[in-house]
């Protein structure tokens, strides 16, 4: 498949969003939702991961696609809760992109949290783009969440961690604790640090009652995962 065929597939793909609940660990009430991008293709010929991997090499297409996606994510969201929106720093680098997202985000400022996702690269250029994006959001007083803390291949940055209101603990932590109980003490330390910093913690990947019981033992603030109900709107 050549680049033009790939591009046409992405543009024509049926897009939909899954809104996944973020739940208060103590009250078990829904605090917020995260909008998760999904694409529906004939015969499942390409994955969502493949799409975003390709888009990192086509900034303009990435920007245009995410403009559409984010507009639909907000338009179709009907709950009176905060909405976490995934943003890759690579779509906010040019003046045109920054101007667009500034108008878009400031108009939704009270209702959203920008979830900063990594692009899978740990080189210095990518790290600088992420730091600049984090600073830009902070200057606009837009709430942020640092995604995938502890995920394999993710970049650890005190700058990124300190600048975020929410720290999302990757589901790999829970899976590792299943294999090695010693990681429980490490995660307890991370969660205590988050709390002492006045930030909020969200443990991802809660899929079973056992996972939920572990999160309760760890005394995090919020949990997220397939253990809780979710809804989706297809477009």
């Amino acid at each position: 498949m050549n680049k033009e065929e790939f591009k046409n597939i992405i543009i024509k793909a049926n897009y939909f969003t899954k809104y996944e609940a973020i739940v208060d660990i103590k009250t078990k009430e829904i605090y917020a939702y995260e909008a998760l991008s999904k694409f529906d293709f004939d015969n499942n010929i390409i994955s969502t991961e493949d799409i975003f991997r390709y888009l990192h090499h086509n900034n303009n297409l990435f920007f245009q696609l995410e403009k559409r996606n984010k507009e639909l994510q907000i338009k179709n969201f009907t709950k009176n809760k905060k909405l976490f929106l995934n943003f890759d720093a690579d779509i906010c680098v040019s003046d045109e992109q920054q101007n667009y997202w500034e108008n878009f985000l400031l108009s939704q400022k009270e209702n959203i949290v920008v979830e900063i996702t990594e692009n899978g690269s740990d080189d210095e250029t990518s790290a600088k783009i992420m730091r600049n994006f984090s600073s830009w959001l902070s200057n606009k007083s837009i709430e942020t969440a640092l995604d995938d803390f502890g995920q394999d291949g993710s970049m650890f940055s005190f700058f990124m961690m300190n600048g975020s209101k929410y720290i999302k603990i990757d589901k790999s932590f829970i899976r590792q604790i299943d294999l090695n109980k010693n990681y429980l003490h490490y995660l307890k330390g991370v969660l205590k640090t988050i709390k002492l910093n006045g930030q909020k913690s969200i443990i991802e990947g809660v899929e079973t009652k056992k996972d939920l019981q572990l999160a309760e033992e760890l005394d995090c603030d919020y949990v997220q995962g397939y253990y809780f109900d979710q809804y989706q709107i297809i477009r």
Side-chain angles (χ1 to χ4, degrees):
M1 183 185 304
N2 61 41
K3 289 183 178 180
E4 200 59 35
E5 290 173 327
F6 199 109
K7 179 179 178 180
N8 288 333
I9 288 173
I10 292 173
I11 292 173
K12 295 177 181 178
N14 184 31
Y15 168 81
F16 65 98
T17 299
K18 286 187 177 181
Y19 297 94
E20 190 169 272
I22 298 173
V23 177
D24 188 299
I25 192 67
K26 291 184 172 62
T27 66
K28 303 303 185 291
E29 295 180 352
I30 294 175
Y31 170 73
Y33 287 88
E34 178 185 352
L36 301 172
S37 296
K38 301 292 178 182
F39 297 85
D40 184 27
F41 301 96
D42 294 336
N43 303 317
N44 297 314
I45 58 176
I46 190 171
S47 69
T48 301
E49 290 75 21
D50 287 336
I51 287 178
F52 285 102
R53 190 178 301 114
Y54 170 80
L55 289 173
H56 281 296
H57 303 286
N58 192 323
N59 180 260
N60 184 60
L61 180 59
F62 197 3
F63 173 58
Q64 295 301 325
L65 186 68
E66 281 293 80
K67 279 174 59 177
R68 180 194 72 175
N69 293 352
K70 297 297 178 272
E71 288 169 0
L72 287 173
Q73 287 172 355
I74 287 181
K75 178 182 177 182
N76 296 323
F77 186 61
T78 60
K79 303 293 186 180
N80 186 26
K81 302 287 183 181
K82 278 188 176 292
L83 180 61
F84 282 58
L85 296 174
N86 285 285
F87 267 80
D88 191 306
D90 281 350
I91 61 170
C92 191
V93 290
S94 70
D95 289 341
E96 175 194 358
Q97 292 168 359
Q98 289 185 354
N99 289 336
Y100 175 82
W101 292 123
E102 179 174 359
N103 292 329
F104 178 84
L105 293 172
L106 289 180
S107 69
Q108 306 291 333
K109 183 177 175 179
E110 302 305 317
N111 306 313
I112 64 168
V113 176
V114 172
E115 192 165 320
I116 303 175
T117 60
E118 293 194 36
N119 61 18
S121 174
D122 60 357
D123 61 46
E124 183 58 31
T125 299
S126 297
K128 183 177 180 181
I129 290 172
M130 288 183 65
R131 289 195 298 268
N132 290 343
F133 184 51
S134 178
S135 296
W136 183 78
L137 291 167
S138 177
N139 290 336
K140 305 299 177 184
S141 299
I142 296 169
E143 290 187 348
T144 61
L146 179 60
D147 195 20
D148 298 332
F149 182 87
Q151 183 185 62
D152 287 347
S154 64
M155 173 189 67
F156 177 80
S157 165
F158 284 113
F159 180 90
M160 297 294 298
M161 190 171 184
N162 291 337
S164 302
K165 179 175 180 179
Y166 304 88
I167 308 297
K168 302 192 75 176
I169 308 298
D170 189 70
K171 62 184 179 182
S172 59
F173 256 110
I174 290 182
R175 305 288 86 84
Q176 283 299 318
I177 289 171
D178 286 338
L179 299 174
N180 185 342
K181 298 301 182 185
N182 291 330
Y183 283 106
L184 181 66
H185 304 289
Y186 181 41
L187 185 50
K188 283 182 177 179
V190 171
L191 292 170
K192 184 177 181 179
T193 301
I194 291 170
K195 193 176 294 290
L196 289 172
N197 284 341
Q199 299 164 302
K200 298 295 184 181
S201 57
I202 303 171
I203 292 182
E204 299 180 294
V206 175
E207 300 175 355
T208 66
K209 186 174 182 178
K210 180 182 176 183
D211 292 341
L212 179 59
Q213 290 171 337
L214 174 60
E216 290 173 329
E217 177 186 347
L218 288 164
D219 192 30
C220 64
D221 295 299
Y222 306 105
V223 287
Q224 179 180 352
Y226 292 124
Y227 184 74
F228 306 98
D229 289 337
Q230 60 183 349
Y231 72 96
Q232 65 184 45
I233 301 170
I234 298 178
R235 286 291 183 272

